[in-house]
């Protein structure tokens, strides 16, 4: 304490004897009340104006907040936490802003961290100061973590006024630096938490920068610039998707068409899905050959990056356009895709369009176009990244969720013109696809195919299929029960869960989709979870904002958990979430 018991006693004694006898009772009371208690935050708040006491005061005030949160089980809304926050925020904010240049680094970072931990909007001036100072004088050492804590607070508070200063700081933060290594995730998450259309100019500029990937150990000088560009461009692409700004479509399309930016393309594609109709319209235009500028850009970048002559017959920009249309999944993409598929003569491009067509809400016409394309493609055709085209399309056939495909698939297995291992491989793939799609009245035909083309593995899958379908028939509730059984989450039995997902997709409706979403938490097997995700997508041909919100809740819940398996397996679930929004918008 400033006035210990002994000090107070001495003071009283002096006041009562000698010259102190002339002091009245009021003065005595004032002197005693003026003694402040070191165990109270007010004492340390009073020390903030003293530069020699400031570091110790800030550290002590941080301890006050930590203690209060510990007692309240980290409940920031607890009355005692709120009471302390009310005392601390404004004085600490003023101290950070007014004395920024006077601090040593350690004390300044401790103070901004303390303000970040209050989760109080009144610290806005300090957060803005942290972003602005970094933007003016970018730091790189690990100790200068003001931007890290400012970003955490900004993401939590979602203060729109911080947007301009935050994006300026983002523009200067190098992920390759020591500071960037400990801060880039926080900045990325803060920007995703509060995306602003006003950032579009900066973000599109970032996307336009070249990326040069190091090829070997000799390219040491390229490593740091490459890491910086990945951070900037991945963040820019992701945030642009959240802004809903149609002007972002072209720069995102250019990322998809630039082979040097392969590591950013998955993020750019998801951003295009989020943008929905404007992105789908632009991709259709490219598919039809109506965007010569983007087609020429793609051809030029392919030549510059690969040093190889582009095979114009394969029309690689058409393949990219088909990928974008299929991934977005809007029904108006059907007619252009079917038309492009009918006109296409190159096997590789034809196979890519057919694969992506299976991702769109199916119609009789789309299924027939798919079949016609399949039958016209050579067994030797390969599609990027080197996969057999017909085997890929065999798997894609399952995404129509039509048991009517079974007889056609079996016909393809019988009539294939392939020989040797290529023939066996395709027939094996067809057999598995048939097992996924077969209903009870098709089990005999499926078993015949297994006996004719299958290995021990296919025979095991056939036993699982037969047991499940004979047990459940055409009853969706039975398949919903089967998909979440714990034994079907085990790898040895996972095909039973996969088959259940396909049957839900074949027989189900929107109500069954919602019932499947409710069971997602119990699906621990990644393959079963993935199959359920595809079924949810199929059962939402017109999109669904409510289903998308339910999926978002699942994804956010898993992000907060320690279950890395579910977090990783939620990647396709996230894509479906955006597809459902894109179809409805």
């Amino acid at each position: 304490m400033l006035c210990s018991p002994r000090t107070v006693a001495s003071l009283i004694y002096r006041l009562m004897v000698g010259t102190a006898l002339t002091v009245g009772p009021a003065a005595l009371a004032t002197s005693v009340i003026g003694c402040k208690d070191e165990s109270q935050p007010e004492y340390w708040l009073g020390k903030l104006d003293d530069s020699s006491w400031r570091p110790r005061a800030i550290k002590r005030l941080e301890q006050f907040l930590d203690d209060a949160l510990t007692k309240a089980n980290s409940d920031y809304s607890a009355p005692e936490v709120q009471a302390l926050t009310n005392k601390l925020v404004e004085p600490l904010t003023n101290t950070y802003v007014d004395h920024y240049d006077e601090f040593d680094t350690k004390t300044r970072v401790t103070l901004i961290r303390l303000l970040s931990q209050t989760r109080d909007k009144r610290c806005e001036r300090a957060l803005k100061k942290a972003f602005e100072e970094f933007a003016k004088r970018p730091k790189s050492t690990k100790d200068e973590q003001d931007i890290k804590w400012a970003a955490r607070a900004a993401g939590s508070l979602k203060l729109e006024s911080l947007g301009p200063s935050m994006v300026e700081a983002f523009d200067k933060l190098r992920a390759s630096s020591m500071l960037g290594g400990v801060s880039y995730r926080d900045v990325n998450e803060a920007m995703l938490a509060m995306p602003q259309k006003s950032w579009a100019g900066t973000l599109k500029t970032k996307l336009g920068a070249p990326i040069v990937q190091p090829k070997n150990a000799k390219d040491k000088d390229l490593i740091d610039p490459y890491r910086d560009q990945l951070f900037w461009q991945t963040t820019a692409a992701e945030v642009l998707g959240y802004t809903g700004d149609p002007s972002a479509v072209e720069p995102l399309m250019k990322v998809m068409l630039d082979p040097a930016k392969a590591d950013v393309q998955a993020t750019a594609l998801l951003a295009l899905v989020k943008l929905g109709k404007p992105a789908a319209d632009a991709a259709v235009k490219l598919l039809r050959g109506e965007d010569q500028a983007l087609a020429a850009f793609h051809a030029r970048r392919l030549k510059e990056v690969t040093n190889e002559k582009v095979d114009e017959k394969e029309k690689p920009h058409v393949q990219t356009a088909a990928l974008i249309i299929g991934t977005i999944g809007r029904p108006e993409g059907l007619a252009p895709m079917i038309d492009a598929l009918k006109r296409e003569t190159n096997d590789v491009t034809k196979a890519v369009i057919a694969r992506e067509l299976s991702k769109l809400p199916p119609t009789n016409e789309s299924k027939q176009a798919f079949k016609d394309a399949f039958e016209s493609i050579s067994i030797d055709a390969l599609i990027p990244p080197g996969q057999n085209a017909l085997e890929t399309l065999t798997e894609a056939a399952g995404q129509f969720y039509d048991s009517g495909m079974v007889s056609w698939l079996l016909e393809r297995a019988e009539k294939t013109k392939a020989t040797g291992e290529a023939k066996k491989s395709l027939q094996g793939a067809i057999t598995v696809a048939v097992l996924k799609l077969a209903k009870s009245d098709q089990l005999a035909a499926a078993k015949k195919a297994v006996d004719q083309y299958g290995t021990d593995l296919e025979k095991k899958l056939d036993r699982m299929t037969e047991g499940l379908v004979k047990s459940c028939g055409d009853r969706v509730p039975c398949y919903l029960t089967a998909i979440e059984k714990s034994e079907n989450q085990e790898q040895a039995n996972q095909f039973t869960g996969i088959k259940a997902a396909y049957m839900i997709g074949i027989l189900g409706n929107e109500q069954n989709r919602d019932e499947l979403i409710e069971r997602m938490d119990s699906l621990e097997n990644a393959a079963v979870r993935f199959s359920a995700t595809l079924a949810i997508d199929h059962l939402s041909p017109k999109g669904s904002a409510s289903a998308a919100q339910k999926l978002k809740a699942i994804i956010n819940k898993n992000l907060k958990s320690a279950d890395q398996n579910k977090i990783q397996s939620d990647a396709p679930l996230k894509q479906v979430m955006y597809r459902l929004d894109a179809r409805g918008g």
Side-chain angles (χ1 to χ4, degrees):
M1 295 175 64
L2 177 62
C3 297
S4 65
R6 180 175 298 177
T7 303
V8 173
S10 176
L11 175 60
I12 293 173
Y13 177 78
R14 291 198 306 273
L15 290 172
M16 292 179 65
V17 299
T19 58
L21 288 174
T22 59
V23 179
L28 172 61
T30 301
S31 299
V32 175
I33 292 171
C35 299
K36 293 184 178 180
D37 189 345
E38 292 183 29
S39 66
Q40 298 301 315
E42 289 83 356
Y43 171 80
W44 298 102
L45 287 170
K47 296 292 186 182
L48 290 175
D49 288 332
D50 188 332
S51 60
S52 62
W53 277 83
R54 197 175 294 140
R56 184 181 173 191
I58 290 169
K59 197 67 182 174
R60 187 68 184 92
L61 291 168
E62 183 181 40
Q63 187 62 56
F64 278 112
L65 182 61
D66 288 345
D67 291 345
L69 286 170
T70 299
K71 291 176 183 177
N73 294 318
S74 297
D75 180 4
Y76 282 83
S77 64
E80 59 271 28
V81 176
Q82 285 296 305
L84 178 60
T85 299
N86 287 336
K87 294 177 183 178
L88 299 184
V89 174
E90 292 185 8
L92 290 174
T93 297
N94 291 336
T95 301
Y96 185 87
V97 173
D98 296 341
H99 300 286
Y100 182 91
D101 293 326
E102 302 171 21
F103 283 109
D104 62 275
T105 300
K106 183 178 180 181
T107 302
R108 192 188 67 242
V109 172
T110 299
L111 176 51
I112 195 67
R113 182 178 66 210
L114 172 55
L115 284 166
S116 172
Q117 290 170 336
T118 66
R119 299 185 183 179
D120 193 294
K121 293 182 178 181
R122 289 170 292 182
C123 70
E124 175 184 6
R125 289 173 58 241
L127 305 179
K128 185 178 181 181
K129 179 74 170 177
F131 287 131
E132 289 177 342
E133 290 295 332
F134 177 82
K136 286 190 292 185
R137 293 181 291 274
K139 309 292 178 59
S140 60
T141 59
K142 192 174 181 179
D143 294 336
E144 302 276 354
Q145 293 186 27
D146 301 59
I147 190 174
K148 173 187 179 73
W149 298 105
R152 285 197 180 183
S156 176
L157 296 170
K158 299 179 176 63
L159 295 173
E160 187 174 345
S161 61
L162 294 176
S165 56
M166 184 190 295
V167 78
E168 287 178 8
F170 160 75
D171 187 43
K172 299 291 173 47
L173 180 64
R174 294 188 174 274
S176 62
S177 68
M178 293 294 288
L179 176 60
V182 297
S183 303
Y184 79 93
R185 288 186 186 277
D186 299 287
V187 173
N188 171 274
E189 290 171 5
M191 294 179 71
L192 292 174
M194 48 177 289
Q196 299 183 10
K197 286 189 176 182
S198 62
W199 296 345
T202 299
L203 299 179
K204 288 186 290 185
T205 298
K206 285 296 187 188
L207 279 185
I211 293 180
V212 181
Q213 186 173 6
K215 295 180 180 179
N216 51 54
K218 295 180 180 179
D219 294 335
K220 292 181 180 179
D221 292 343
L222 297 177
I223 294 175
D224 283 351
Y226 177 69
R227 290 176 59 194
D228 294 337
Q229 289 299 333
L230 281 188
F231 163 63
W232 280 324
Q233 297 199 32
T234 301
T235 301
E238 195 169 7
V239 175
L240 281 169
Y242 280 108
T243 65
D245 188 344
S247 73
V249 171
E250 183 176 347
L252 287 167
M253 293 277 285
K254 284 188 172 181
V255 171
M256 295 299 299
L257 294 167
D258 189 341
K261 298 190 177 184
D263 291 336
V264 186
Q265 287 172 355
T267 304
L269 182 58
L270 199 57
L272 289 166
V273 174
K274 286 180 236 174
L275 291 172
K277 190 176 186 306
D281 291 345
V284 166
K285 190 176 177 182
L286 182 62
L287 180 79
R288 288 173 168 166
E290 297 170 358
D291 194 330
Q292 293 299 319
L294 280 181
F297 170 83
H298 191 31
R300 175 171 59 81
R301 289 300 294 147
L302 280 171
K303 185 176 181 180
E304 290 171 348
V305 174
T306 65
N307 291 320
E308 296 177 3
K309 186 177 180 180
V310 178
D311 186 349
E312 296 295 339
K313 293 181 180 179
E314 290 191 3
K315 301 173 191 170
H317 65 277
V318 171
Q319 297 176 29
T320 301
L323 172 64
I324 295 169
I325 295 168
T327 307
I328 293 174
R330 288 179 64 91
E332 59 261 41
L334 276 168
M337 291 278 275
I338 292 170
D339 182 59
L341 193 55
K342 289 179 178 179
R343 290 185 289 103
E344 188 54 57
T345 58
N346 179 266
D347 276 359
V348 176
T349 304
K350 190 186 301 183
V352 172
I353 297 173
R355 181 194 65 194
E356 297 306 313
L357 181 63
S358 71
K359 298 177 183 177
L360 299 174
T363 64
N364 289 334
E365 189 180 3
S366 70
K367 284 182 274 191
Q368 188 58 53
F370 178 91
K371 291 177 182 178
D372 292 343
F374 187 107
E375 292 175 18
S376 69
I377 294 172
S378 166
I379 185 67
D380 299 320
L382 300 176
I383 59 176
Q387 298 172 323
N388 181 273
L390 291 186
E391 289 184 34
T392 300
L393 292 183
T394 298
E395 184 175 356
Q399 300 314 300
F400 288 106
Y401 290 89
D402 182 0
S403 294
M405 284 274 190
V406 168
S407 58
W408 173 77
L409 283 167
L410 292 175
E411 185 180 343
R412 301 275 52 80
E414 183 179 350
K415 293 185 176 181
T416 178
K417 297 178 181 179
T419 58
E421 286 302 317
K423 182 177 182 179
K424 288 182 180 179
S425 184
L426 178 59
Q427 289 174 332
I430 289 174
T431 302
V432 174
V434 165
L435 290 174
K436 291 176 179 178
L437 295 174
K439 296 171 73 172
S440 56
D441 60 348
Q442 297 168 316
L443 290 177
K447 183 173 179 57
K448 182 179 178 181
V450 170
D451 291 340
Q452 188 172 356
Y453 310 125
T455 64
D456 288 343
L457 173 61
E458 282 76 31
K459 290 176 182 178
K460 179 181 178 182
L461 302 185
D462 179 49
R463 290 192 293 271
M464 293 182 187
T465 298
E466 184 177 11
L468 178 64
V469 174
K470 284 188 175 180
S471 174
C472 292
D474 288 347
R475 294 178 291 114
V476 176
C478 181
Y479 291 111
L480 286 166
T481 298
I483 197 171
E484 65 176 342
K485 283 186 177 180
S486 58
E487 60 263 33
N488 293 335
Q489 309 310 309
E490 298 173 6
Q491 187 172 359
N493 303 319
Q494 69 181 14
F495 192 78
T496 300
I498 293 170
K499 174 63 177 175
Y502 273 86
M503 295 308 293
I504 294 167
I506 292 167
L507 301 169
N509 54 31
E510 290 185 355
Q511 179 182 337
N512 302 136
R513 173 202 66 201
D514 292 342
E515 292 170 335
L516 182 55
I517 291 174
E518 291 173 3
R519 288 164 168 78
M520 288 301 289
D521 273 345
S522 62
L523 308 185
E524 298 175 354
N525 181 285
V528 174
R529 194 174 176 85
F530 176 70
S531 299
T533 299
L534 296 180
I536 291 167
D537 182 56
H538 172 72
L539 294 173
S540 310
K542 296 180 180 179
S544 172
S546 62
Q549 285 301 311
K550 291 174 183 176
L551 297 181
K552 184 177 182 179
I554 293 170
I555 292 166
N556 289 340
K557 178 183 176 183
N558 289 336
L559 279 174
K560 295 177 182 177
S561 74
D563 192 336
Q564 291 300 315
N565 289 331
K566 281 190 176 180
I567 291 172
Q568 293 173 8
S569 65
D570 277 347
L573 196 66
K574 184 183 291 187
Q575 186 179 109
V576 168
M577 175 184 73
Y578 294 129
R579 280 164 64 88
L580 300 194
D581 270 337
R583 284 184 192 140

